[in-house]
Structure formats: structure tokens, C-alpha cells
Amino acid sequence: IISRLVNFIANFITSFITIFITSFIAHFVNNFVNNFINNFITMLPRALTLSTFTSNVSKNLLIPSSRLFVSSSNVALSDKPQHDKYHEETYKDTKPYKILGIQQIALGSPSLSGLESLWIDTLGCEKVKTFKSEKENVDEIVTTIGRGTLGTIEIDLMTPLDPTKSPKVDKPPLNHIGLWVSDLKSCYDHLQSSGYVFTPGGIRPGASGHDVCFLHPKPKDGKGGEGVLVELVQATDEVIKAYEEGV
């Protein structure tokens, strides 16, 4: 009788432990699966949104999406074009004009033939026309390089008509840089009222037919180009349109 009772108790305890462990494992697995499914359903739209955002940013910033990490769980996407008029969404200021890009680079040398040999014959700039001005003491070849409205840069090759007179367009050799401006008159007035000094002559037609003015490189009084002669060039309608459209 005692032996049977011991066996009964042992079997009962074994069955109880087996049922308890089985129930616990079943309950744990059931909860784990349910939570996984619920979390997956919740996170899937967010993951798809993040993937789209990462892909868009990668394309716009020209960087591999594999190197783009975003830590925010909520990402707001926008269908707004990347290039608004004058980038108003990303570049807000109160100036009545915009600098749209580089219009030209002017190079000077005592030897115009040397400049022509280097920049046209060797480096492949396209000769557009020639220009001479006794008033500005310059004999110039106008060239261009690049493609597209904003991608084409004018490169002016200059030598003085009279090396003994001023202005000496060959000194310094990297003579000046020209910038497209959306509204030259507004820019001129704004800079003058801000204390900037321009070279004599004000706004006038340049060698390529555009209205231009020059920011003085080193004025005795007031602000200038910090040692650089800066030419501000009225942008054409084509240039302004290309800037607005981001092409």
C-alpha cells in the first residue's frame, strides 16, 4: 500500500510539473507571437515611410542611402519642389536681389597671345569675340567654357593696350570675378547704402553687352571686395529662369 501511494504521489507531481511547464511555454510563445505581429503591423507603415524618405534624401543629396542614418521615428515628407523661386524656403533674407552664380573670370597678362595659346588652344575655351577699350586700357578676347545656361562661364583674356597706363588689367593676373545678379540696380543701391564702395563709372554696359558695375577691391574709406575686384552683372531673363528651375 505504501509503495503504491509513493508511486501515485510521484506520478502526480511529475504530471503536474509537466502540465505547468507545457502551459507556461505555450503561454509565452503565444504572447511573443502576438506581440511580434502587432509590432510588425504597427511599424510597417513607419518603416516604409522612412525608406521612402531615405531614398529621396539620398537622391537629392547625391549620397548613398546606405550611408544615410535617420534617428527620428516620425518623418514628414513633402512634395514641394527642391528648387523654389530663388530658394525662398531655404534662403530667406531681406536683400532686394540674389546672387545667381558665377558669370565670368577675367585673366590678365602682358602677352595676349600667351593667354590665347593656353586657354583656347590648350585648355579648349571657345572664342566668342574680341573687345578693345582705350578708356579701360584693355585688349580682350572673350571666351566661354562649360555647358548650360548657368554652367557656361565666360573667361576673359586681357592685356593692356598701353602697359604704362592705368588701369593695368594684367595686374593682378587673376584680375576679377563676375557674378550674375538678379536685380543689379537694387543690388547697387543696397550695397552703397550698406557702406560698400564701387569703382568710378557706376552701372554701365560691359564687354559682353550686359550692364555691370565693379565693387572696389581696396577702397580708402568704406567697405570693398577685400582685395578682390568683384564685377556684378545683370542677369538675363534666361539666366534667372534657369536659376529658378534649378538647371
Side-chain angles (χ1 to χ4, degrees), residues 24 32 85 87 90 116 129 169 171-172 186 215 222 241 247:
F24 177 80
F32 176 80
K85 184 178 181 180
H87 299 313
T90 56
E116 187 173 7
K129 65 177 182 177
V169 297
K171 296 180 181 180
S186 295
L215 197 59
K241 181 180 179 181
V247 297

Side-chain angles (χ1 to χ4, degrees), residues 141-156:
I141 300 175
V142 177
T143 75
T144 60
I145 194 169
R147 292 182 178 177
T149 302
L150 283 174
T152 300
I153 307 299
E154 178 181 312
I155 298 181
D156 296 338

Side-chain angles (χ1 to χ4, degrees), residues 163-175:
T164 66
K165 293 182 179 180
S166 293
K168 300 183 184 299
V169 297
D170 58 335
K171 296 180 181 180
L174 182 55
N175 189 268

Side-chain angles (χ1 to χ4, degrees), residues 62-82:
L62 301 179
I63 58 176
S65 58
S66 60
R67 298 185 62 186
L68 181 65
F69 300 93
V70 181
S71 59
S72 173
S73 59
N74 295 315
V75 180
L77 299 180
S78 173
D79 294 329
K80 197 175 186 65
Q82 294 297 312

Side-chain angles (χ1 to χ4, degrees), residues 26-219:
H27 179 73
F28 176 80
V29 171
N30 183 62
N31 286 341
F32 176 80
V33 171
N34 287 335
N35 289 335
F36 177 80
I37 293 175
N38 290 334
N39 289 334
F40 179 78
I41 293 174
T42 302
M43 293 298 296
L44 182 59
R46 189 176 297 173
L48 293 175
T49 300
L50 181 59
S51 175
T52 303
F53 171 80
T54 302
S55 176
N56 288 340
V57 173
S58 175
K59 291 177 182 178
N60 291 328
L61 297 183
L62 301 179
I63 58 176
S65 58
S66 60
R67 298 185 62 186
L68 181 65
F69 300 93
V70 181
S71 59
S72 173
S73 59
N74 295 315
V75 180
L77 299 180
S78 173
D79 294 329
K80 197 175 186 65
Q82 294 297 312
H83 296 282
D84 301 310
K85 184 178 181 180
Y86 298 135
H87 299 313
E88 288 176 347
E89 295 299 320
T90 56
Y91 181 44
K92 296 180 180 180
D93 58 40
T94 58
K95 294 192 293 293
Y97 60 90
K98 297 290 180 185
I99 301 299
L100 309 184
I102 295 176
Q103 184 269 334
Q104 68 168 262
I105 297 172
L107 308 171
S109 170
S111 172
L112 187 59
S113 61
L115 288 174
E116 187 173 7
S117 175
L118 172 62
W119 289 92
I120 298 177
D121 299 337
T122 305
L123 298 181
C125 291
E126 181 179 352
K127 185 175 181 178
V128 178
K129 65 177 182 177
T130 59
F131 173 80
K132 287 186 180 182
S133 170
E134 292 187 6
K135 181 180 179 181
E136 298 183 12
N137 191 31
V138 64
D139 184 6
E140 177 178 335
I141 300 175
V142 177
T143 75
T144 60
I145 194 169
R147 292 182 178 177
T149 302
L150 283 174
T152 300
I153 307 299
E154 178 181 312
I155 298 181
D156 296 338
L157 311 178
M158 309 184 304
T159 194
L161 288 172
D162 187 341
T164 66
K165 293 182 179 180
S166 293
K168 300 183 184 299
V169 297
D170 58 335
K171 296 180 181 180
L174 182 55
N175 189 268
H176 65 270
I177 183 172
L179 303 174
W180 288 119
V181 184
S182 62
D183 187 333
L184 183 61
K185 181 62 168 60
S186 295
C187 180
Y188 184 87
D189 293 341
H190 180 81
L191 291 179
Q192 272 199 325
S193 66
S194 301
Y196 283 90
V197 178
F198 289 85
T199 61
I203 297 177
R204 57 196 184 276
S208 295
H210 311 297
D211 284 345
V212 303
C213 60
F214 291 86
L215 197 59
H216 201 294
K218 294 181 179 180

